[in-house]
Amino acid sequence: MNIVRTIARILLGLLFVAAGAAGLLIAPPPQPGLAGEFSTVVYASHFMNFVSAAQLLLGALLLINRFVPVALIMLAAFIYNSFAFHSTMAQSAIFAPFVVAALLVVVAWPYRAFFAAFFVARPLPTGQARSEQSAHRSNPSSVGPLP
């Protein structure tokens, strides 16, 4: 299974490095409809330079196997936006974000413990959690769970 994860990480990294480099170096071909208007605005405003630079950097982090959880969190936002773009403006390529999301899940699975903290409904800062727990233990008259 480690080989599958490594291959998925490298494919995901190559995909985002290529997408980032293409966004910085190559103007896209004209597209019909809303997708074309969107692309025109994104490229004309140079917003795509920021998006492409981030994709290039995050893809490189995956390729060199450094800061992988951080790269995955940030790439999840790109994948979400890809779902939004393809479901509303370019339905002919709707499969693409599904494939990329599947690769992301395969790569993220061994890091799931790192992501668990994001799914806590009411997290407490580290220092506050310790001080409240110790105060609760030192006062035996307090009854009930911590908030």
Side-chain angles (χ1 to χ4, degrees):
M1 193 64 173
N2 284 336
I3 293 173
V4 172
R5 286 187 201 120
T6 301
I7 291 170
R9 180 181 50 79
I10 291 170
L11 284 173
L12 196 60
L14 287 172
L15 184 103
F16 277 99
V17 164
L24 289 171
L25 303 173
I26 303 169
Q31 298 176 13
L34 288 175
E37 291 179 33
F38 181 77
S39 293
T40 300
V41 169
V42 169
Y43 277 89
S45 67
H46 302 288
F47 180 75
M48 190 51 119
N49 292 342
F50 293 100
V51 171
S52 297
Q55 289 176 338
L56 186 64
L57 173 67
L58 297 170
L61 289 175
L62 290 178
L63 289 176
I64 63 172
N65 201 21
R66 296 290 181 259
F67 303 105
V68 172
V70 174
L72 292 173
I73 289 169
M74 295 179 75
L75 288 174
F78 287 111
I79 295 170
Y80 176 81
N81 285 327
S82 181
F83 272 114
F85 175 79
H86 287 288
S87 64
T88 59
M89 293 183 248
Q91 292 88 3
S92 62
I94 191 67
F95 67 90
F98 283 101
V99 172
V100 177
L103 287 172
L104 184 118
V105 168
V106 170
V107 176
W109 190 254
Y111 299 101
R112 63 190 178 275
F114 292 110
F115 302 126
F118 291 110
F119 298 101
V120 175
R122 294 181 58 194
L124 295 173
T126 305
Q128 184 178 354
R130 285 190 203 129
S131 64
E132 285 181 7
Q133 287 175 351
S134 62
H136 183 70
R137 284 190 206 123
S138 65
N139 186 1
S141 63
S142 65
V143 180
L146 288 174

